[in-house]
Every structure is written in structure tokens, then in C-alpha cells.
Amino acid sequence: MRRLITKLVHRTWEAAGKYGNIGPHDPRGQRFGAMGNGACLLFPQGAIYNEHYIQIGAETLVGPNTCITAGMAPGQEMPTDPVVRIGSRCIIGRGSHIVGHWSIEIGDDIQTGPYVYITDQNHTYEDPIEPIGRQWPTEAAVSIGSGSWLGANVVVLPGAQIGEHVTVAAGAVVRGTFPDRCVIAGVPARIIRRWVDGQGWVDEKDVVAP
């Protein structure tokens, strides 16, 4: 009996994985503000709501258990459109969270490891008495340049501006602005290597200021 039930469960899960994906021609996919040809959100999906404020480019693959949201709750009216835009040919690792309230721009050809967290909103800490979770949040636009790679468990905070072809090391917490073609790591993240024309990759401590 146990073998029969195990086989049934596994076959059911395999069928759900085959038919539970979301693509641009599926009814759920057509709720999105835009979803390019070949894009796919793999089953099982995490929380996904207010899809009409979310755009996903062609051939982008979103891993299972990934949450992509616009706003705090389904049905919320947002002040910007799109709130979240993911470019073409991206791979978003499983279990990641992309939580937009104002503007999150993810370029083309970006890959992430699993469990990456990207948000453009955070609570303030103006009042030392009031619980932080009750203090009014603020938003700051986030952008991640095309061709970049984000390792597992990276956190991208509001206002982060990451250039093109940037490697973000696993576990980094990113805030601030970073130029194209560099490697950043740490908490908070800082540049550890960068590409210098005529020299190639140079450790940041060895970069000579112009």
C-alpha cells in the first residue's frame, strides 16, 4: 500500500510540475503587464500578485518557490507602472523574493543563485520608541544592470544601483551605487575587484586613482 501511495504522490507531483508552470500563453501568464515568448515561472510558484504591474522578458526562467509581488497585498493600486521589470534571458534562482513597491529594474541576461532577496522599500527608524515595523516605510528605486550575476542569498536593498556585468558574491548585502564590470562582496557590499582597460582584472586595493 505504501509503495502504491508513494508512486501516486510522485506521479501527481510530476504532472503538477509539467502542467503547473506559467507561460505567456497561459491564463495566469496573461495577467502580467507583459510576458515575453519563452518566459516561464516554474511550479510551484511562491506568492505572486498584482501581476499587471509586473513585466517579464522573453526566455526568462523563474525558479520554483519564487515570490514576485507589487505592493503589500492583492488588489493594491500602485503609483508606478511597471513596478517590477525583469528583462529577457534571465534566470532567477529558486526561493528568491522580488518585492516591489516603486521601481525594480532587472536588466537582460542576469542570473541569480537561490534565495536572493530584492526590494525597493524598507521601514524607517526615525522614532527610537515606536516599533520599527510600525514606522512609515520609504521607497528608493533599484536597478541591476544587464549581464550581472548575483550569488546565493544576496540581499539587494532600496536604492541599490548595480552596473552591468557585475558579480555579487554570495551572501552580500548591497546598498549604494556600483559601476560596471566589478566584483562586490561583504556586508555591506564593497568592491573587491574591477576591470581596468589595459590592465584587466585588478584588486581594488591596487587600483590607481586617475
Side-chain angles (χ1 to χ4, degrees):
M1 179 64 72
R2 184 182 185 280
R3 289 182 180 179
L4 180 61
I5 294 174
T6 298
K7 184 181 294 186
L8 178 62
V9 168
H10 288 173
R11 286 184 176 177
T12 301
W13 188 255
E14 289 172 1
K18 181 178 180 181
Y19 296 106
N21 298 331
I22 299 174
H25 304 298
D26 298 321
R28 185 76 186 271
Q30 292 176 2
R31 297 182 191 176
F32 284 78
M35 181 179 283
N37 287 333
C40 185
L41 282 68
L42 297 180
F43 176 87
Q45 296 84 26
I48 299 173
Y49 52 77
N50 297 329
E51 296 97 320
H52 55 291
Y53 291 110
I54 300 168
Q55 298 183 2
I56 298 175
E59 301 177 34
T60 284
L61 182 67
V62 178
N65 299 304
T66 294
C67 300
I68 307 176
T69 62
M72 297 291 290
Q76 182 178 350
E77 293 293 326
M78 304 303 297
T80 57
D81 188 4
V83 174
V84 175
R85 181 189 174 278
I86 303 173
S88 298
R89 301 174 302 278
C90 296
I91 298 177
I92 307 299
R94 67 185 182 277
S96 294
H97 289 62
I98 301 173
V99 183
H101 299 269
W102 180 254
S103 176
I104 296 177
E105 287 275 346
I106 298 174
D108 299 327
D109 301 297
I110 289 173
Q111 296 190 24
T112 86
Y115 309 112
V116 167
Y117 184 83
I118 303 170
T119 187
D120 59 0
Q121 185 187 80
N122 214 341
H123 287 277
T124 57
Y125 192 12
E126 299 294 333
D127 188 335
I129 305 300
E130 184 74 9
I132 295 169
R134 295 180 185 174
Q135 297 190 39
W136 197 256
T138 59
E139 294 85 24
V142 168
S143 69
I144 302 173
S146 296
S148 293
W149 163 262
L150 281 65
N153 297 297
V154 163
V155 176
V156 179
L157 295 174
Q161 304 289 307
I162 300 172
E164 296 185 350
H165 297 270
V166 173
T167 290
V168 184
V173 177
V174 184
R175 62 181 182 183
T177 300
F178 295 91
D180 298 343
R181 296 173 177 80
C182 66
V183 178
I184 64 177
V187 181
R190 61 183 180 83
I191 299 174
I192 59 173
R193 301 184 75 195
R194 70 172 74 209
W195 179 267
V196 178
D197 289 341
Q199 299 180 55
W201 288 106
V202 179
D203 289 345
E204 185 66 9
K205 62 182 177 58
D206 297 325
V207 172
V208 178

